[in-house]
Amino acid sequence: MRALLIWLLCNYAAQACLESNASCPLCKDVFSICQEERSWTRCYKKKIVSCTSKGRGGLIWTVDPSKESVQNPTQNHSVHIPSSALQKSRESGDNALVVVTVLDSTYFKPTSRNKGRTFLQVPTGPTGTVLGRTVLVVQAGSNPLQNLPEPVTLTFKYNETVVNGTCVFWEDEDNGSEFWSTYGCNTSNTGSEFVCHCNHLSFFAVLVNPDLSLSKEDAFNLSFITYFGSALSVVFSIISLILYACLNKRQPDRAIGLHTHLTVALLCLHSCFLLSCWWAERLAAQASDWLCGALGLVLHWSLLATVCWSALEGFHLYLLLVRVFNIYVRRYLLKLSVLGWGVPTLIALACGVSGVYGKYTLDIWNSDNSSSTTQLCWMSNSTRSLVTYVTTAAFPCLVVVFNSCMLGLVVLKLWRLRGSGGAKSDWEKVNRLWKDCVTVLGLSCVLGLPFGLLTFTYVSIPAIYVFTALNSLQGVFVFLWSLALLCKSQSDTSSSSKDTSTQKIMTTSFNS
């Protein structure tokens, strides 16, 4: 009976085309024909419902509009169309015409038209990779259906490791712009499939951001680098504090005091990180206790303090290189201390009152589709909020941008000073270039610029290694910076006239 209905429908469509002298292409030729049109998606929607072919049974169905329709064009795709949508699509007769098929996503390229010319552009909607490189075409009748009272349900199964997915449809505007849009669609993820609920019919897909998977060897290596580097940072931060104390004893300097506060913040950060990881692993499957919450609070406070003091280091450079004159500030270091320690304390206490701290579990996907977990006392998974992302992502990002500008000013000033220094021997040029490079690298660590490498960890595994190594070894880099200051101080004692430009950038401070 089903085959008979399909055959009658095909004959009816073919007869209608012949009577109206319209072009009735074969179903297998519709796609290639419409590719030559200006808007191939509109052409495809129009011609696919009137195409003629003996094999239309796997593409077009005639269904009873009084009942819901469930179609499965592939093993990974499923479409559920409610009866209300079928009744709305019915044009004549007792049956409704339904088109369900799958196309390759490579033919869907976002474009924008301006004055008759077409330009490729970044999509105005969500971005990502099309799941499975497949687009699900769903159409009922020849007229577009929008604002349906009951949504159409589309299911996309997947076996890939993805961070998130968003249900989208292909938007084809009258001005020629084409892009992915989420209008009228809601997304839910069951863990093995994405379920889309949309109030219209169109070309549907799921945009996903693939998760960067690690091998078990990479996960072990990164864990070793993190713990070993943090342990080294704790040791060398203590040594740096001793060196800064010696420098301050020899010649009190506001800049040395500024570096001292930053080093204390780094010492607290790496110490609390190691304690948080150790205590969270000790708790294992147990729920978070009050001590884990306290360690999470102190770890968050230490991170905020480190970022704040890095920002104050950048502000110090701003006064040195931009303001230059009239930079006397009464009780300068005391005022900076109020900001550097007071702001993190207020934020951490506010988060503590709201109860966001606890045991945090980080899931790591491995390249063999298995997963492992890492736990630490931080902010619990169930209570992470907007405050979390503002204090741990947005604020450090602003600091990195500001300090990057300050470092650019340092490089520009060094370049100008070296350019006006007159001709030097090749050895002196190499020696000065080496000193300038060390100065820039040291300032990069002091200004907290390694935090900015976080954005590159989403694209490659080597970037994760670089980010992990630089940030876990910050205490070591600060020690090298303090050692350079100590050597510079001894060199300036014997010869105060040598390399005054680098000395000013490294050690100049404000008199109170």
Side-chain angles (χ1 to χ4, degrees):
M1 186 65 181
R2 179 188 178 94
L4 178 61
L5 289 175
I6 295 173
W7 179 80
L8 290 174
L9 179 65
C10 293
N11 285 342
Y12 173 79
Q15 185 66 27
C17 289
L18 292 175
E19 292 177 355
S20 60
N21 295 323
S23 176
C24 299
L26 296 175
C27 293
K28 65 183 182 66
D29 297 330
V30 171
F31 182 79
S32 58
I33 293 174
C34 290
Q35 281 291 302
E36 301 176 0
E37 299 290 334
R38 179 177 180 180
S39 177
W40 75 267
T41 54
R42 295 188 180 187
C43 171
Y44 188 87
K45 288 181 180 181
K46 181 179 179 180
K47 292 183 180 297
I48 196 63
V49 295
S50 60
C51 63
T52 59
S53 174
K54 295 181 179 180
R56 288 182 5 154
L59 175 66
I60 302 178
W61 290 267
T62 54
V63 297
D64 185 357
S66 63
K67 300 179 181 179
E68 62 185 21
S69 175
V70 178
Q71 306 296 339
N72 299 280
T74 70
Q75 294 180 349
N76 296 326
H77 300 86
S78 176
V79 178
H80 172 268
I81 305 176
S83 60
S84 59
L86 296 175
Q87 293 175 3
K88 190 176 181 180
S89 67
R90 186 177 57 181
E91 298 176 358
S92 63
D94 297 330
N95 295 318
L97 186 68
V98 174
V99 178
V100 179
T101 187
V102 175
L103 297 178
D104 194 318
S105 64
T106 56
Y107 296 101
F108 294 81
K109 298 179 180 179
T111 59
S112 176
R113 296 186 184 275
N114 184 19
K115 295 182 181 180
R117 300 177 63 186
T118 303
F119 303 93
L120 290 176
Q121 67 169 11
V122 178
T124 57
T127 59
T129 304
V130 176
L131 180 66
R133 293 182 56 185
T134 55
V135 177
L136 186 58
V137 183
V138 182
Q139 186 172 350
S142 58
N143 297 321
L145 297 182
Q146 299 177 348
N147 300 320
L148 298 175
E150 295 181 80
V152 178
T153 304
L154 309 101
T155 303
F156 296 81
K157 295 182 180 180
Y158 66 90
N159 54 7
E160 305 174 27
T161 301
V162 296
V163 175
N164 52 50
T166 305
C167 295
V168 295
F169 74 97
W170 189 247
E171 181 71 70
D172 185 359
E173 296 183 343
D174 293 335
N175 61 1
S177 298
E178 299 173 315
F179 53 89
W180 293 113
S181 174
T182 59
Y183 180 77
C185 290
N186 296 321
T187 309
S188 60
N189 187 1
T190 64
S192 61
E193 59 187 22
F194 290 103
V195 181
C196 307
H197 301 277
C198 300
N199 64 359
H200 56 276
L201 302 182
S202 182
F203 297 82
F204 298 98
V206 175
L207 296 183
V208 297
N209 295 317
D211 193 5
L212 193 63
S213 60
L214 299 173
S215 65
K216 292 183 178 180
E217 183 180 359
D218 287 329
F220 174 80
N221 292 339
L222 290 171
S223 298
F224 177 79
I225 292 173
T226 301
Y227 297 137
F228 183 72
S230 292
L232 286 179
S233 292
V234 170
V235 174
F236 282 97
S237 293
I238 296 175
I239 299 176
S240 299
L241 292 176
I242 297 174
L243 292 179
Y244 286 142
C246 295
L247 286 172
N248 250 336
K249 195 172 183 180
R250 178 180 301 175
Q251 184 179 2
D253 195 310
R254 299 299 186 274
I256 300 300
L258 199 62
H259 300 333
T260 302
H261 285 282
L262 176 61
T263 306
V264 171
L266 280 173
L267 176 61
C268 294
L269 176 62
H270 290 284
S271 300
C272 291
F273 173 75
L274 294 175
L275 287 174
S276 297
C277 293
W278 173 75
W279 188 256
E281 292 294 335
R282 184 176 179 180
L283 289 176
Q286 300 179 15
S288 175
D289 60 0
W290 68 269
L291 182 56
C292 187
L295 287 174
L297 185 147
V298 178
L299 179 59
H300 188 208
W301 172 82
S302 302
L303 175 63
L304 292 173
T306 302
V307 174
C308 281
W309 280 107
S310 298
L312 294 176
E313 290 275 7
F315 174 74
H316 185 77
L317 273 180
Y318 166 77
L319 293 181
L320 281 177
L321 301 176
V322 179
R323 291 282 299 274
V324 182
F325 302 106
N326 300 322
I327 55 176
Y328 169 77
V329 179
R330 188 171 180 267
R331 296 183 179 179
Y332 176 71
L333 195 57
L334 178 61
K335 293 179 179 178
L336 293 186
S337 299
V338 172
L339 290 175
W341 300 113
V343 172
T345 301
L346 292 176
I347 296 176
L349 289 178
C351 293
V353 171
S354 61
V356 301
Y357 299 112
K359 188 169 65 174
Y360 174 70
T361 301
L362 175 64
D363 295 322
I364 301 175
W365 288 94
N366 300 320
S367 55
D368 58 355
N369 290 329
S370 62
S371 63
S372 58
T373 59
T374 299
Q375 296 178 332
L376 74 157
C377 295
W378 175 238
M379 300 182 187
S380 59
N381 301 75
S382 59
T383 58
R384 294 167 68 83
S385 61
L386 179 62
V387 177
T388 305
Y389 297 102
V390 170
T391 57
T392 61
F395 177 53
C397 180
L398 292 176
V399 172
V400 167
V401 171
F402 172 72
N403 286 351
S404 298
C405 295
M406 294 303 103
L407 184 64
L409 288 176
V410 170
V411 174
L412 182 61
K413 191 173 185 65
L414 287 174
W415 178 72
R416 288 179 177 177
L417 289 173
R418 294 295 178 255
S420 60
K424 301 289 183 181
S425 64
D426 292 338
W427 170 251
E428 289 181 344
K429 289 181 179 179
V430 172
N431 188 34
R432 285 195 169 185
L433 179 62
W434 168 252
K435 289 182 178 180
D436 291 344
C437 290
V438 171
T439 301
V440 171
L441 290 176
L443 280 175
S444 299
C445 296
V446 170
L447 296 175
L449 298 188
F451 287 119
L453 297 175
L454 179 63
T455 56
F456 297 99
T457 59
Y458 295 97
V459 296
S460 67
I461 293 178
I464 298 178
Y465 274 93
V466 173
F467 172 81
T468 303
L470 290 180
N471 284 279
S472 62
L473 294 173
Q474 273 186 307
V476 179
F477 298 139
V478 169
F479 162 75
L480 296 176
W481 179 257
S482 63
L483 192 63
L485 291 180
L486 181 63
C487 295
K488 193 67 182 175
S489 177
Q490 293 177 348
S491 176
D492 292 339
T493 301
S494 59
S495 179
S496 59
S497 61
K498 292 183 179 180
D499 208 11
T500 57
S501 60
T502 305
Q503 175 193 355
K504 182 176 181 179
I505 293 176
M506 294 177 65
T507 61
T508 299
S509 62
F510 305 116
N511 295 322
S512 59

